[in-house]
Amino acid sequence: MAHAHKLEILRGLIKFKSNTQKIWGVLILLSIITAVEVVLGIYKPASLMQPVLGMKILNWIFIILTIVKAYYITWDFMHMRDEKASLRRMVVWTAVFLICYLIFILLQEGGYVFDVYETTFIKRDF
Amino acid sequence: MDTTVTTGTEGKTWGGGNQPLGASYGKLMMWFFIVSDALTFSGFLAAYGFSRFKFIDAWPIADEVFTHVPFLHGQELPMIYVAFMTFILIMSSVTMVLAVDAGHNMNQKKVILYMFLTIIGGAIFVGSQAWEWATFIKGDYGAIETKGGNILQFGQYVEVDGQEKFKRVALADFAIAQEGDRVRHERKNGLWFQSEGSLPTYTVNEVIAGFEANPDLQIRTQIINEEGEKTVLSRSESVKQLKANGVGVVEGANLRVNEYGSPLFADFFFFITGFHGFHVFSGVVINIIIFFNVILGTYERRGSYEMVEKVGLYWHFVDLVWVFVFTFFYLV
């Protein structure tokens, strides 16, 4: 085999015997996360509706679970785990930095425009 | 060449032929493409976030919009169908990575099988998305557009399990048909080469007449109250608002207006899921090309199934994007 695969996930908590087995393991993990998201999304427990850092706790949970899913798709399905550190950083750091920057600017601006409509004499509904 | 200092290492490091990142040219280029495409999608999603923050107190609630499942007509099942689509896409990602793994082991038969399953999964996903679009465009309740471009929806309070709940009512259930001679303007009559889109089933006057004849009906505005629900106006306020500000009937969704709320909601829905659907579609096409190459034995003769790995990277990326679209469009 040309490639040596790293067969551990969750920092070595679960070790798989073969690459195929690892793929099914990751599938189970991703399915569980999706199921949790859907159940939370349907029932929306009242205890998770309080705002924390400008957003509901529930939304923070969704975003964190999404990033966890993205991590496993990239690391195990796209074999990022087996690539050299230099390639990994080149791809991940660039994307993460630019995306965070863009999101920060646009959401900040969106919130500002909302405040203008809310508190000043400029109204959308004229 | 006389001035070059020979150190003995240049043949190795600068002479070419080595791979400092441990990946072939093709794979690196695929990664570069993925990074740039990821930034395009982030641009879309961040713009969606911008518009949503701008109208944070009046944005449609996704759970009330995407409630349909094929063959289960009339039931409200939020999220179920999108969860199914997500699962299909993750599943096809798994068969893709299994195909890549079989390729590493030079197992042609298994690559063929797994590539085939991947293509089927992709086709199911694109089909589901088309159905989702059709349902979204058709709409099911209808609404009234106001002078300021806001949307007024209709409904009434009914008792469900001892609790008062606001139930939406469709225009077709209460509007009273009236005599009218407004017909769709076509190119062939009147002003030459001028035409307009299809007219809504009812006129504003028909809706107002129906609304007055049904004293239980109330109007729901877009504004989200402190309980996280849309504000319902009192009966007298509803009649007043409808008569003073109602200017048009909206059925379903298009790029200008939609019955769910802010026009931007439908615009972003069409652009983001459409752009993603286009990626899935092109992914299926590329997969089919590679699939036939595998059957013909091209990679068997080449001695390497790296092409399957490259198209696999693209396919996983499509899945990755969907995970984010799912969260930001349907969950948050």
Short mmCIF file of all heavy atoms in Angstrom, two decimals, chain A residues 49-103:
data_model
loop_
_atom_site.label_atom_id
_atom_site.label_comp_id
_atom_site.label_asym_id
_atom_site.label_seq_id
_atom_site.Cartn_x
_atom_site.Cartn_y
_atom_site.Cartn_z
N MET A 49 -32.44 28.27 25.33
CA MET A 49 -32.81 29.44 24.53
C MET A 49 -32.25 30.74 25.09
O MET A 49 -32.49 31.80 24.53
CB MET A 49 -34.33 29.54 24.41
CG MET A 49 -34.96 28.34 23.71
SD MET A 49 -34.25 27.98 22.10
CE MET A 49 -35.48 28.72 21.05
N GLN A 50 -31.55 30.70 26.23
CA GLN A 50 -30.99 31.94 26.78
C GLN A 50 -29.84 32.44 25.92
O GLN A 50 -29.07 31.64 25.39
CB GLN A 50 -30.46 31.73 28.21
CG GLN A 50 -31.52 31.78 29.27
CD GLN A 50 -32.02 30.40 29.59
OE1 GLN A 50 -31.29 29.43 29.41
NE2 GLN A 50 -33.25 30.30 30.08
N PRO A 51 -29.76 33.75 25.77
CA PRO A 51 -28.65 34.27 24.97
C PRO A 51 -27.32 34.26 25.73
O PRO A 51 -27.26 34.58 26.92
CB PRO A 51 -29.09 35.71 24.66
CG PRO A 51 -30.09 36.05 25.69
CD PRO A 51 -30.68 34.78 26.22
N VAL A 52 -26.28 33.82 25.05
CA VAL A 52 -24.92 33.86 25.58
C VAL A 52 -24.05 34.47 24.49
O VAL A 52 -24.11 34.02 23.34
CB VAL A 52 -24.41 32.44 25.92
CG1 VAL A 52 -22.94 32.47 26.26
CG2 VAL A 52 -25.21 31.84 27.04
N LEU A 53 -23.30 35.50 24.80
CA LEU A 53 -22.44 36.17 23.82
C LEU A 53 -23.21 36.55 22.54
O LEU A 53 -22.78 36.27 21.44
CB LEU A 53 -21.25 35.30 23.45
CG LEU A 53 -20.28 34.95 24.57
CD1 LEU A 53 -19.24 33.97 24.07
CD2 LEU A 53 -19.59 36.21 25.07
N GLY A 54 -24.40 37.14 22.74
CA GLY A 54 -25.15 37.66 21.61
C GLY A 54 -25.93 36.64 20.80
O GLY A 54 -26.57 36.99 19.83
N MET A 55 -25.88 35.36 21.18
CA MET A 55 -26.65 34.35 20.46
C MET A 55 -27.19 33.33 21.45
O MET A 55 -26.65 33.16 22.53
CB MET A 55 -25.76 33.66 19.43
CG MET A 55 -26.32 33.74 18.05
SD MET A 55 -25.48 32.76 16.81
CE MET A 55 -23.83 32.55 17.34
N LYS A 56 -28.27 32.63 21.05
CA LYS A 56 -28.82 31.58 21.92
C LYS A 56 -27.80 30.47 22.11
O LYS A 56 -27.02 30.17 21.19
CB LYS A 56 -30.07 30.98 21.27
CG LYS A 56 -31.26 31.90 21.29
CD LYS A 56 -32.41 31.20 20.56
CE LYS A 56 -33.41 32.20 20.06
NZ LYS A 56 -33.97 31.83 18.77
N ILE A 57 -27.83 29.83 23.28
CA ILE A 57 -26.92 28.72 23.54
C ILE A 57 -27.10 27.64 22.47
O ILE A 57 -26.14 27.06 21.97
CB ILE A 57 -27.18 28.08 24.93
CG1 ILE A 57 -27.04 29.12 26.03
CG2 ILE A 57 -26.22 26.92 25.19
CD1 ILE A 57 -27.39 28.59 27.39
N LEU A 58 -28.39 27.39 22.11
CA LEU A 58 -28.69 26.36 21.11
C LEU A 58 -27.94 26.62 19.81
O LEU A 58 -27.35 25.70 19.22
CB LEU A 58 -30.20 26.35 20.86
CG LEU A 58 -30.73 25.20 20.01
CD1 LEU A 58 -30.51 23.88 20.71
CD2 LEU A 58 -32.19 25.40 19.69
N ASN A 59 -27.92 27.90 19.36
CA ASN A 59 -27.22 28.21 18.11
C ASN A 59 -25.73 27.98 18.24
O ASN A 59 -25.08 27.51 17.30
CB ASN A 59 -27.50 29.66 17.72
CG ASN A 59 -28.92 29.83 17.20
OD1 ASN A 59 -29.65 28.85 17.08
ND2 ASN A 59 -29.31 31.05 16.91
N TRP A 60 -25.16 28.31 19.42
CA TRP A 60 -23.74 28.04 19.63
C TRP A 60 -23.48 26.54 19.55
O TRP A 60 -22.49 26.10 18.93
CB TRP A 60 -23.27 28.56 20.99
CG TRP A 60 -23.06 30.04 21.00
CD1 TRP A 60 -23.78 30.96 21.70
CD2 TRP A 60 -22.05 30.78 20.28
NE1 TRP A 60 -23.31 32.22 21.45
CE2 TRP A 60 -22.25 32.14 20.60
CE3 TRP A 60 -21.03 30.42 19.40
CZ2 TRP A 60 -21.44 33.15 20.06
CZ3 TRP A 60 -20.24 31.43 18.88
CH2 TRP A 60 -20.44 32.77 19.20
N ILE A 61 -24.38 25.73 20.13
CA ILE A 61 -24.21 24.27 20.08
C ILE A 61 -24.22 23.80 18.62
O ILE A 61 -23.36 23.02 18.20
CB ILE A 61 -25.32 23.56 20.88
CG1 ILE A 61 -25.16 23.87 22.36
CG2 ILE A 61 -25.30 22.06 20.64
CD1 ILE A 61 -26.27 23.32 23.24
N PHE A 62 -25.18 24.33 17.82
CA PHE A 62 -25.25 23.94 16.41
C PHE A 62 -23.95 24.27 15.69
O PHE A 62 -23.43 23.46 14.92
CB PHE A 62 -26.40 24.68 15.71
CG PHE A 62 -27.76 24.13 16.05
CD1 PHE A 62 -28.86 24.97 16.11
CD2 PHE A 62 -27.94 22.78 16.32
CE1 PHE A 62 -30.11 24.47 16.41
CE2 PHE A 62 -29.19 22.28 16.62
CZ PHE A 62 -30.28 23.12 16.67
N ILE A 63 -23.42 25.47 15.93
CA ILE A 63 -22.23 25.90 15.20
C ILE A 63 -21.03 25.04 15.59
O ILE A 63 -20.25 24.58 14.75
CB ILE A 63 -21.98 27.40 15.42
CG1 ILE A 63 -23.06 28.20 14.70
CG2 ILE A 63 -20.60 27.81 14.92
CD1 ILE A 63 -23.10 29.66 15.03
N ILE A 64 -20.91 24.76 16.90
CA ILE A 64 -19.78 23.94 17.35
C ILE A 64 -19.88 22.53 16.77
O ILE A 64 -18.90 21.98 16.25
CB ILE A 64 -19.71 23.91 18.89
CG1 ILE A 64 -19.29 25.29 19.40
CG2 ILE A 64 -18.75 22.84 19.38
CD1 ILE A 64 -19.55 25.53 20.86
N LEU A 65 -21.09 21.94 16.79
CA LEU A 65 -21.26 20.59 16.24
C LEU A 65 -20.93 20.57 14.75
O LEU A 65 -20.35 19.62 14.23
CB LEU A 65 -22.69 20.10 16.47
CG LEU A 65 -23.04 19.71 17.91
CD1 LEU A 65 -24.48 19.26 18.01
CD2 LEU A 65 -22.11 18.63 18.43
N THR A 66 -21.30 21.66 14.04
CA THR A 66 -20.98 21.75 12.61
C THR A 66 -19.48 21.75 12.37
O THR A 66 -18.99 21.07 11.47
CB THR A 66 -21.58 23.04 12.03
OG1 THR A 66 -22.97 23.06 12.32
CG2 THR A 66 -21.38 23.11 10.54
N ILE A 67 -18.76 22.51 13.20
CA ILE A 67 -17.31 22.56 13.02
C ILE A 67 -16.69 21.19 13.33
O ILE A 67 -15.77 20.75 12.65
CB ILE A 67 -16.72 23.69 13.88
CG1 ILE A 67 -17.19 25.04 13.32
CG2 ILE A 67 -15.20 23.63 13.90
CD1 ILE A 67 -16.91 26.22 14.20
N VAL A 68 -17.25 20.50 14.33
CA VAL A 68 -16.76 19.14 14.63
C VAL A 68 -16.97 18.23 13.42
O VAL A 68 -16.06 17.49 13.01
CB VAL A 68 -17.49 18.57 15.87
CG1 VAL A 68 -17.17 17.10 16.06
CG2 VAL A 68 -17.12 19.35 17.11
N LYS A 69 -18.17 18.34 12.80
CA LYS A 69 -18.44 17.52 11.61
C LYS A 69 -17.47 17.86 10.49
O LYS A 69 -16.92 16.97 9.83
CB LYS A 69 -19.89 17.75 11.13
CG LYS A 69 -20.89 16.85 11.77
CD LYS A 69 -22.12 16.65 10.88
CE LYS A 69 -23.05 17.82 10.89
NZ LYS A 69 -24.33 17.54 10.23
N ALA A 70 -17.27 19.17 10.27
CA ALA A 70 -16.36 19.61 9.21
C ALA A 70 -14.96 19.04 9.44
O ALA A 70 -14.28 18.60 8.52
CB ALA A 70 -16.33 21.13 9.15
N TYR A 71 -14.54 19.03 10.72
CA TYR A 71 -13.22 18.51 11.07
C TYR A 71 -13.09 17.05 10.63
O TYR A 71 -12.13 16.66 9.97
CB TYR A 71 -12.99 18.66 12.58
CG TYR A 71 -11.77 17.96 13.09
CD1 TYR A 71 -10.51 18.55 13.01
CD2 TYR A 71 -11.84 16.68 13.65
CE1 TYR A 71 -9.39 17.91 13.47
CE2 TYR A 71 -10.73 16.02 14.12
CZ TYR A 71 -9.49 16.64 14.02
OH TYR A 71 -8.38 15.98 14.48
N TYR A 72 -14.09 16.23 10.98
CA TYR A 72 -13.97 14.80 10.65
C TYR A 72 -14.08 14.55 9.16
O TYR A 72 -13.42 13.66 8.64
CB TYR A 72 -14.99 13.97 11.44
CG TYR A 72 -14.47 13.77 12.85
CD1 TYR A 72 -14.98 14.50 13.91
CD2 TYR A 72 -13.41 12.91 13.08
CE1 TYR A 72 -14.47 14.36 15.18
CE2 TYR A 72 -12.88 12.76 14.35
CZ TYR A 72 -13.42 13.48 15.40
OH TYR A 72 -12.89 13.35 16.65
N ILE A 73 -14.89 15.33 8.46
CA ILE A 73 -14.97 15.16 6.99
C ILE A 73 -13.61 15.47 6.38
O ILE A 73 -13.08 14.72 5.57
CB ILE A 73 -16.08 16.05 6.39
CG1 ILE A 73 -17.45 15.52 6.79
CG2 ILE A 73 -15.97 16.08 4.87
CD1 ILE A 73 -18.60 16.42 6.40
N THR A 74 -13.01 16.60 6.79
CA THR A 74 -11.72 16.99 6.21
C THR A 74 -10.62 16.03 6.63
O THR A 74 -9.82 15.59 5.81
CB THR A 74 -11.35 18.42 6.65
OG1 THR A 74 -12.52 19.20 6.68
CG2 THR A 74 -10.35 19.04 5.72
N TRP A 75 -10.57 15.70 7.91
CA TRP A 75 -9.44 14.92 8.42
C TRP A 75 -9.49 13.46 7.96
O TRP A 75 -8.47 12.89 7.61
CB TRP A 75 -9.39 15.02 9.95
CG TRP A 75 -8.29 15.91 10.42
CD1 TRP A 75 -7.21 15.51 11.17
CD2 TRP A 75 -8.14 17.31 10.21
NE1 TRP A 75 -6.41 16.59 11.41
CE2 TRP A 75 -6.94 17.70 10.84
CE3 TRP A 75 -8.89 18.28 9.54
CZ2 TRP A 75 -6.48 19.01 10.83
CZ3 TRP A 75 -8.43 19.58 9.52
CH2 TRP A 75 -7.26 19.94 10.16
N ASP A 76 -10.68 12.85 7.98
CA ASP A 76 -10.73 11.43 7.67
C ASP A 76 -11.20 11.11 6.26
O ASP A 76 -10.65 10.21 5.63
CB ASP A 76 -11.60 10.70 8.70
CG ASP A 76 -10.91 10.68 10.06
OD1 ASP A 76 -9.75 10.25 10.10
OD2 ASP A 76 -11.51 11.13 11.04
N PHE A 77 -12.21 11.84 5.75
CA PHE A 77 -12.65 11.54 4.39
C PHE A 77 -11.70 12.14 3.36
O PHE A 77 -11.44 11.55 2.34
CB PHE A 77 -14.08 12.07 4.16
CG PHE A 77 -15.14 11.29 4.89
CD1 PHE A 77 -16.45 11.69 4.86
CD2 PHE A 77 -14.82 10.14 5.59
CE1 PHE A 77 -17.43 10.97 5.52
CE2 PHE A 77 -15.78 9.41 6.26
CZ PHE A 77 -17.10 9.84 6.23
N MET A 78 -11.22 13.35 3.63
CA MET A 78 -10.30 13.98 2.67
C MET A 78 -8.85 13.65 2.99
O MET A 78 -7.94 14.21 2.39
CB MET A 78 -10.53 15.50 2.65
CG MET A 78 -11.93 15.89 2.20
SD MET A 78 -12.31 17.61 2.50
CE MET A 78 -12.09 18.31 0.87
N HIS A 79 -8.63 12.79 3.97
CA HIS A 79 -7.29 12.30 4.33
C HIS A 79 -6.34 13.38 4.78
O HIS A 79 -5.13 13.27 4.59
CB HIS A 79 -6.66 11.54 3.16
CG HIS A 79 -7.45 10.33 2.75
ND1 HIS A 79 -7.77 9.33 3.62
CD2 HIS A 79 -8.01 9.99 1.58
CE1 HIS A 79 -8.48 8.41 3.00
NE2 HIS A 79 -8.66 8.80 1.75
N MET A 80 -6.86 14.46 5.35
CA MET A 80 -5.98 15.52 5.83
C MET A 80 -5.08 15.00 6.96
O MET A 80 -3.96 15.45 7.12
CB MET A 80 -6.85 16.67 6.33
CG MET A 80 -6.23 18.04 6.24
SD MET A 80 -5.33 18.33 4.74
CE MET A 80 -5.82 19.98 4.40
N ARG A 81 -5.59 14.02 7.70
CA ARG A 81 -4.81 13.44 8.80
C ARG A 81 -3.50 12.82 8.30
O ARG A 81 -2.51 12.78 9.02
CB ARG A 81 -5.66 12.36 9.48
CG ARG A 81 -5.38 12.13 10.94
CD ARG A 81 -6.18 10.94 11.44
NE ARG A 81 -7.59 11.22 11.67
CZ ARG A 81 -8.05 11.83 12.76
NH1 ARG A 81 -7.24 12.21 13.70
NH2 ARG A 81 -9.34 12.04 12.90
N ASP A 82 -3.52 12.35 7.04
CA ASP A 82 -2.33 11.66 6.51
C ASP A 82 -1.41 12.58 5.73
O ASP A 82 -0.35 12.17 5.28
CB ASP A 82 -2.77 10.51 5.59
CG ASP A 82 -3.73 9.57 6.29
OD1 ASP A 82 -3.56 9.37 7.51
OD2 ASP A 82 -4.65 9.06 5.63
N GLU A 83 -1.84 13.85 5.52
CA GLU A 83 -0.99 14.76 4.76
C GLU A 83 0.11 15.34 5.65
O GLU A 83 0.03 15.29 6.87
CB GLU A 83 -1.82 15.91 4.18
CG GLU A 83 -2.97 15.49 3.26
CD GLU A 83 -2.50 14.92 1.94
OE1 GLU A 83 -1.26 14.92 1.70
OE2 GLU A 83 -3.35 14.46 1.17
N LYS A 84 1.11 15.96 4.98
CA LYS A 84 2.17 16.62 5.73
C LYS A 84 1.63 17.84 6.46
O LYS A 84 0.70 18.49 5.98
CB LYS A 84 3.27 17.07 4.76
CG LYS A 84 4.27 15.99 4.44
CD LYS A 84 5.50 16.63 3.79
CE LYS A 84 6.55 15.58 3.53
NZ LYS A 84 7.74 16.15 2.90
N ALA A 85 2.25 18.18 7.59
CA ALA A 85 1.79 19.33 8.38
C ALA A 85 1.80 20.60 7.55
O ALA A 85 0.91 21.44 7.69
CB ALA A 85 2.66 19.49 9.61
N SER A 86 2.79 20.73 6.65
CA SER A 86 2.89 21.97 5.86
C SER A 86 1.68 22.13 4.94
O SER A 86 1.10 23.22 4.84
CB SER A 86 4.18 21.98 5.04
OG SER A 86 4.33 20.76 4.37
N LEU A 87 1.25 21.05 4.30
CA LEU A 87 0.09 21.12 3.42
C LEU A 87 -1.16 21.42 4.23
O LEU A 87 -1.99 22.27 3.85
CB LEU A 87 -0.07 19.79 2.67
CG LEU A 87 -1.36 19.61 1.84
CD1 LEU A 87 -1.52 20.71 0.82
CD2 LEU A 87 -1.36 18.26 1.16
N ARG A 88 -1.29 20.75 5.37
CA ARG A 88 -2.45 20.92 6.23
C ARG A 88 -2.59 22.38 6.66
O ARG A 88 -3.64 22.98 6.55
CB ARG A 88 -2.27 20.03 7.45
CG ARG A 88 -3.54 19.67 8.14
CD ARG A 88 -3.33 18.47 9.01
NE ARG A 88 -2.36 18.71 10.06
CZ ARG A 88 -1.47 17.82 10.49
NH1 ARG A 88 -1.43 16.63 9.95
NH2 ARG A 88 -0.64 18.11 11.45
N ARG A 89 -1.49 22.95 7.12
CA ARG A 89 -1.54 24.34 7.60
C ARG A 89 -1.82 25.31 6.47
O ARG A 89 -2.57 26.28 6.64
CB ARG A 89 -0.20 24.70 8.27
CG ARG A 89 -0.07 24.02 9.61
CD ARG A 89 1.32 24.11 10.15
NE ARG A 89 1.46 23.18 11.27
CZ ARG A 89 2.62 22.79 11.74
NH1 ARG A 89 3.74 23.21 11.22
NH2 ARG A 89 2.66 21.95 12.75
N MET A 90 -1.22 25.04 5.32
CA MET A 90 -1.41 25.92 4.17
C MET A 90 -2.90 26.03 3.84
O MET A 90 -3.42 27.11 3.59
CB MET A 90 -0.65 25.34 2.99
CG MET A 90 -0.54 26.21 1.79
SD MET A 90 0.41 25.36 0.55
CE MET A 90 -0.78 24.18 -0.02
N VAL A 91 -3.58 24.90 3.85
CA VAL A 91 -5.00 24.90 3.49
C VAL A 91 -5.85 25.43 4.65
O VAL A 91 -6.65 26.36 4.48
CB VAL A 91 -5.45 23.47 3.10
CG1 VAL A 91 -6.96 23.40 2.96
CG2 VAL A 91 -4.78 23.03 1.83
N VAL A 92 -5.66 24.86 5.84
CA VAL A 92 -6.59 25.14 6.93
C VAL A 92 -6.40 26.54 7.49
O VAL A 92 -7.35 27.30 7.65
CB VAL A 92 -6.44 24.08 8.04
CG1 VAL A 92 -7.36 24.41 9.21
CG2 VAL A 92 -6.78 22.71 7.49
N TRP A 93 -5.17 26.95 7.76
CA TRP A 93 -4.96 28.26 8.38
C TRP A 93 -5.44 29.38 7.48
O TRP A 93 -6.08 30.33 7.90
CB TRP A 93 -3.48 28.46 8.75
CG TRP A 93 -3.05 27.61 9.89
CD1 TRP A 93 -3.82 26.69 10.55
CD2 TRP A 93 -1.77 27.59 10.52
NE1 TRP A 93 -3.08 26.09 11.55
CE2 TRP A 93 -1.83 26.62 11.56
CE3 TRP A 93 -0.59 28.29 10.31
CZ2 TRP A 93 -0.74 26.34 12.38
CZ3 TRP A 93 0.50 28.01 11.13
CH2 TRP A 93 0.43 27.04 12.16
N THR A 94 -5.10 29.26 6.16
CA THR A 94 -5.53 30.29 5.21
C THR A 94 -7.05 30.44 5.23
O THR A 94 -7.58 31.54 5.42
CB THR A 94 -5.09 29.90 3.78
OG1 THR A 94 -3.73 29.53 3.82
CG2 THR A 94 -5.29 31.03 2.82
N ALA A 95 -7.74 29.31 5.04
CA ALA A 95 -9.20 29.37 4.96
C ALA A 95 -9.79 29.87 6.28
O ALA A 95 -10.63 30.78 6.28
CB ALA A 95 -9.74 27.98 4.62
N VAL A 96 -9.33 29.33 7.39
CA VAL A 96 -9.92 29.71 8.68
C VAL A 96 -9.71 31.20 8.95
O VAL A 96 -10.63 31.91 9.34
CB VAL A 96 -9.33 28.85 9.82
CG1 VAL A 96 -9.67 29.44 11.18
CG2 VAL A 96 -9.86 27.43 9.73
N PHE A 97 -8.51 31.69 8.69
CA PHE A 97 -8.24 33.11 8.94
C PHE A 97 -9.14 34.00 8.09
O PHE A 97 -9.82 34.90 8.60
CB PHE A 97 -6.77 33.44 8.67
CG PHE A 97 -6.50 34.92 8.64
CD1 PHE A 97 -6.51 35.64 9.83
CD2 PHE A 97 -6.27 35.58 7.46
CE1 PHE A 97 -6.30 37.01 9.82
CE2 PHE A 97 -6.06 36.94 7.44
CZ PHE A 97 -6.07 37.66 8.62
N LEU A 98 -9.17 33.74 6.78
CA LEU A 98 -9.95 34.62 5.89
C LEU A 98 -11.45 34.54 6.19
O LEU A 98 -12.14 35.55 6.16
CB LEU A 98 -9.68 34.24 4.42
CG LEU A 98 -8.30 34.62 3.90
CD1 LEU A 98 -8.09 34.07 2.50
CD2 LEU A 98 -8.11 36.13 3.90
N ILE A 99 -11.93 33.34 6.50
CA ILE A 99 -13.37 33.20 6.75
C ILE A 99 -13.76 33.92 8.05
O ILE A 99 -14.76 34.64 8.10
CB ILE A 99 -13.76 31.71 6.78
CG1 ILE A 99 -13.64 31.12 5.37
CG2 ILE A 99 -15.17 31.52 7.31
CD1 ILE A 99 -13.71 29.62 5.32
N CYS A 100 -12.94 33.77 9.10
CA CYS A 100 -13.24 34.45 10.37
C CYS A 100 -13.27 35.97 10.17
O CYS A 100 -14.15 36.67 10.67
CB CYS A 100 -12.21 34.10 11.44
SG CYS A 100 -12.32 32.42 11.98
N TYR A 101 -12.30 36.45 9.39
CA TYR A 101 -12.18 37.88 9.11
C TYR A 101 -13.44 38.39 8.42
O TYR A 101 -14.07 39.38 8.83
CB TYR A 101 -10.94 38.08 8.25
CG TYR A 101 -10.62 39.48 7.84
CD1 TYR A 101 -10.52 40.49 8.80
CD2 TYR A 101 -10.38 39.79 6.51
CE1 TYR A 101 -10.20 41.78 8.41
CE2 TYR A 101 -10.06 41.08 6.12
CZ TYR A 101 -9.98 42.07 7.08
OH TYR A 101 -9.67 43.33 6.70
N LEU A 102 -13.84 37.67 7.36
CA LEU A 102 -15.01 38.06 6.58
C LEU A 102 -16.27 38.04 7.43
O LEU A 102 -17.07 38.98 7.41
CB LEU A 102 -15.16 37.08 5.40
CG LEU A 102 -16.27 37.36 4.40
CD1 LEU A 102 -15.92 38.58 3.58
CD2 LEU A 102 -16.47 36.18 3.49
N ILE A 103 -16.45 36.98 8.20
CA ILE A 103 -17.65 36.86 9.03
C ILE A 103 -17.70 37.98 10.06
O ILE A 103 -18.74 38.62 10.26
CB ILE A 103 -17.68 35.47 9.72
CG1 ILE A 103 -18.00 34.40 8.69
CG2 ILE A 103 -18.72 35.44 10.83
CD1 ILE A 103 -17.92 33.01 9.21
#
